[in-house]
Amino acid sequence: MTGPVGEAPRRDALVQMYHVSKSYQPGSFALRDVTLEVQKGEFVFLTGPSGAGKTTLLKLLFAAEAPSEGQIVLRGRNIARLRERAVPALRRRIGVVFQDFKLLANRTVEENVAVTLEVLGRPPREIRRRAFEMLKQVGLQHRRHAHPPALSGGEQQRVALARALAGEPELLLADEPTGNLDPELTLEIMDRIAHAAARGTSVIVATHDHSLIERYGRRTLQLEAGHIKEDRPPAGPGT
Amino acid sequence: MTRLAADLRYVARTSLRGLVGSPTTSAVCVATIAVALLLVGAFGLLVQNMQGLLDRVGDDLGVTAYLEPDLDADARTSLAARVATIEGVAEVAVISREEALRRFREGVGAQSGLLDALEENPLPASLEITLHEAQRGPEGLRRVVEALDGLPGVADLAFGQEWVEGYARAVRLARGVTIGAGAVLAVAALLIVANTIRLAIFARRDEIEILALVGASRTFVAWPFLIEGCLQGAAGGVLALVGLYALFRATLPEIESGFSLLLGFAEPAFFAPGSALALVVAGAALGALGSAAALLSGWRS
Ligand SMILES: Nc1ncnc2c1ncn2[C@@H]1O[C@H](COP(=O)(O)OP(=O)(O)OP(=O)(O)O)[C@@H](O)[C@H]1O
Ligand SMILES: [Mg+2]
């Protein structure tokens, strides 16, 4: 919007990682010397075998872990060594779909989605409206009064996505968001995520599912034993 | 404003969920606080009543100065005027021998016929000295008595000095014991409550972790727990109050007969509304402190 008409879209990095390493135990690295950039509104797949470091990379981005080495910059701000007090504000701008969902078992589906908005301090009326709308988008509005333990794995996964997207985050991190879904639902959910990217949210999706990567043809980071083996640009026409 | 309203609603809803969601833990917290406050309250009630008694006795506290028999009416009046100038003296009434006899007859009642046998009035005239309110205690009494002692015309002095001093000492002791025991009990209750709440919080650590992962600040996470502790503590305070009242009613006959035997009057009193409220507020504070302590220790580890 700011650039002159006709000019190529200016590169606008949201995430920058410089020589980032993470070691949980001395002598072994979950991530080793990772350097990458993710643009605003960009959709990136993160793939690689189990134990390659996908979840670790995502954890560094929402400050669930601190890098052992290197710098991480999120929208111009270095978050590699964030004070503990600054962590909540960072997380409020990031939506996360956890590999194990992390839903609140003692709250209803609707309340789980609402938590994101409550933390953001939105007015109750808006929270109710938006939570319902998010559940509708993932096809779970009829289950809004159920509690997560009463839901199937796929349903829980969709609640987790609705919660992650409710606050319109700048960055969406999704760890195997389609792991428990049938092919039809997988496409629906991925379309919902692509839609968020189209509206300006940067998206990183960690997945094992190669058919998904091929189908969407987005930029793909291939991790292996903690380092980036390949950074494949988007394939084919369109993004 | 909407932000505040939304926050308040969230806190209210979440704390209620906590209370209802873990009824056993809640009940244990409430009971712990109730027992601690019951013990402190019982001591407090005792001290309050002893103090009340002292005040009542103090109101009646005065000095009677019996006068030399050869003092005439003029001398009595001038002596009374002189006594009235003593510091701490509020009022001086001259009781003539006739008045003294009349009072004595009244006091003895039905048996007053016996007195008719007396040829002469054996009672001396006296000065009834009332003390200023501020001086109605062992100290004030002693000062006035010292000033009276040895005044020409004064034959003898009567006052309740020893009894009053002993009793005041007992009240002071009981108050000290209450404060000491109260402090010890409050600390013990705080530790137990904090520990109970810590277990409750530990049981809900997943919830706390998840809230933190979606960007909740510590304050956001803490408020519902603090309110929950507050409500539990207030409930404990109310429970303690009810228990104390039941105890008070049950032992009232004994206390009453004991008091009247000792002093001739008895009016044991329960806590005034202000003190009762203070007990409930103390419970609420205890609960909130317990939650805060539990949260802090949880975050530190
Ligand atoms: N908290 C931890 N403590 C110690 N080691 C860890 C921890 N978390 C991960 N690791 C190790 O770091 C490496 C990378 O783990 P990570 O979870 O990032 O892999 P992943 O690519 O997400 O695997 P998957 O596809 O199975 O989810 C693994 O070897 C794992 O054992
Ligand atoms: Mg993983």
Side-chain angles (χ1 to χ4, degrees):
Chain A
M1 282 298 169
T2 47
V5 184
E7 192 183 307
R10 196 157 48 95
R11 285 173 66 83
D12 192 0
L14 183 79
V15 178
Q16 296 160 295
M17 296 178 100
Y18 298 110
H19 306 292
V20 171
S21 295
K22 173 67 185 176
S23 156
Y24 290 105
Q25 289 132 359
S28 83
F29 284 88
L31 280 183
R32 193 198 291 271
D33 197 24
V34 169
T35 296
L36 63 86
E37 235 179 60
V38 176
Q39 309 305 313
K40 195 167 178 298
E42 193 177 14
F43 188 129
V44 181
F45 280 119
L46 189 61
T47 189
S50 183
K54 303 182 291 296
T55 299
T56 300
L57 193 150
L58 298 184
K59 276 184 173 170
L60 293 179
L61 289 176
F62 65 92
E65 295 286 352
S68 310
E69 278 167 47
Q71 306 301 327
I72 303 174
V73 179
L74 193 89
R75 212 178 59 182
R77 176 147 191 220
N78 195 332
I79 60 160
R81 272 145 207 70
L82 211 53
R83 282 173 306 119
E84 202 178 334
R85 295 191 45 171
V87 170
L90 169 78
R91 290 184 181 162
R92 272 175 246 152
R93 302 189 347 225
I94 301 178
V96 185
V97 180
F98 298 93
Q99 200 164 5
D100 55 352
F101 320 135
K102 295 203 188 297
L103 298 175
L104 297 162
N106 62 345
R107 304 197 195 186
T108 65
V109 163
E110 193 169 40
E111 287 169 337
N112 266 279
V113 177
V115 153
T116 305
L117 302 157
E118 275 160 356
V119 165
L120 286 168
R122 299 280 167 78
R125 197 186 280 265
E126 186 197 324
I127 291 178
R128 238 172 299 128
R129 191 176 45 73
R130 179 100 180 123
F132 183 79
E133 187 196 314
M134 291 314 297
L135 283 172
K136 214 165 110 184
Q137 286 183 14
V138 297
L140 280 178
Q141 72 275 26
H142 61 291
R143 299 292 272 148
R144 64 185 181 281
H145 298 308
H147 285 76
L151 265 51
S152 74
E155 286 171 331
Q156 293 187 39
Q157 201 149 38
R158 286 184 280 157
V159 176
L161 178 66
R163 180 182 66 186
L165 286 175
E168 298 184 313
E170 292 173 18
L171 177 62
L172 175 70
L173 307 173
D175 205 348
E176 302 284 357
T178 60
N180 293 280
L181 302 180
D182 58 43
E184 203 173 310
L185 263 179
T186 297
L187 292 187
E188 252 175 60
I189 291 305
M190 286 309 296
D191 284 348
R192 180 66 195 80
I193 292 176
H195 173 71
R199 293 182 51 174
T201 296
S202 304
V203 175
I204 303 178
V205 175
T207 184
H208 287 115
D209 188 346
H210 285 281
S211 68
L212 208 62
I213 295 170
E214 273 156 36
R215 182 178 183 101
Y216 281 85
R218 304 296 183 121
R219 176 183 171 197
T220 303
L221 294 165
Q222 172 89 33
L223 272 181
E224 220 169 276
H227 62 255
I228 298 181
K229 198 183 161 210
E230 194 190 352
D231 185 347
R232 194 163 354 111
T239 42
Chain B
M1 239 14 229
T2 46
R3 170 84 205 245
L4 182 64
D7 286 353
L8 287 177
R9 274 172 53 116
Y10 172 82
V11 167
R13 200 147 35 83
T14 312
S15 12
L16 280 179
R17 190 177 7 236
L19 284 174
V20 177
S22 45
T24 319
T25 323
S26 287
V28 172
C29 290
V30 171
T32 311
I33 294 175
V35 168
L37 289 179
L38 187 86
L39 292 172
V40 177
F43 269 108
L45 207 51
L46 191 70
V47 171
Q48 176 189 295
N49 276 291
M50 286 173 83
Q51 180 68 52
L53 211 55
L54 187 65
D55 292 345
R56 284 280 315 261
V57 173
D59 283 348
D60 296 340
L61 203 63
V63 183
T64 305
Y66 295 103
L67 304 179
E68 304 279 6
D70 54 356
L71 229 53
D72 64 18
D74 280 352
R76 286 204 297 252
T77 320
S78 65
L79 182 60
R82 192 165 160 201
V83 168
T85 62
I86 293 173
E87 202 194 320
V89 171
E91 243 178 278
V92 181
V94 182
I95 310 296
S96 65
R97 299 180 60 192
E98 294 71 33
E99 172 70 9
L101 186 64
R102 197 185 58 71
R103 285 189 183 183
F104 188 71
R105 274 186 204 282
E106 248 169 45
V108 179
Q111 278 90 43
S112 68
L114 293 174
L115 295 172
D116 296 340
L118 293 170
E119 280 169 19
E120 210 179 322
N121 178 359
L123 299 175
S126 63
L127 297 181
E128 261 184 22
I129 301 157
T130 318
L131 303 189
H132 275 302
E133 224 168 294
Q135 305 289 330
R136 281 182 204 151
E139 305 298 311
L141 191 62
R142 172 147 21 86
R143 259 200 308 279
V144 172
V145 167
E146 270 165 15
L148 286 169
D149 205 16
L151 271 186
V154 173
D156 202 1
L157 292 169
F159 52 94
Q161 176 84 353
E162 274 167 30
W163 189 87
V164 168
E165 280 189 346
Y167 192 74
R169 243 196 318 276
V171 173
R172 267 200 303 276
L173 184 71
R175 190 181 300 142
V177 168
T178 302
I179 292 173
V184 169
L185 281 169
V187 169
L190 190 66
L191 289 178
I192 297 170
V193 169
N195 210 44
T196 312
I197 296 177
R198 194 166 63 201
L199 290 178
I201 289 177
F202 186 72
R204 285 158 71 185
R205 66 195 180 286
D206 287 348
E207 182 181 346
I208 293 174
E209 187 210 327
I210 292 170
L211 286 172
L213 284 175
V214 301
S217 63
R218 283 190 171 185
T219 333
F220 186 93
V221 174
W223 267 115
F225 283 103
L226 292 181
I227 300 295
E228 207 180 308
C230 232
L231 290 176
Q232 287 169 345
V238 169
L239 216 62
L241 213 54
V242 170
L244 276 175
Y245 191 69
L247 212 66
F248 178 73
R249 298 298 306 186
T251 54
L252 198 57
E254 262 102 304
I255 302 174
E256 239 163 5
S257 64
F259 274 16
S260 45
L261 207 68
L262 194 64
L263 301 159
F265 58 83
E267 263 174 41
F270 194 64
F271 287 129
S275 312
L277 188 68
L279 200 73
V280 175
V281 170
L286 208 61
L289 270 175
S291 291
L295 281 171
L296 281 179
S297 79
W299 275 324
R300 217 171 286 131
S301 62

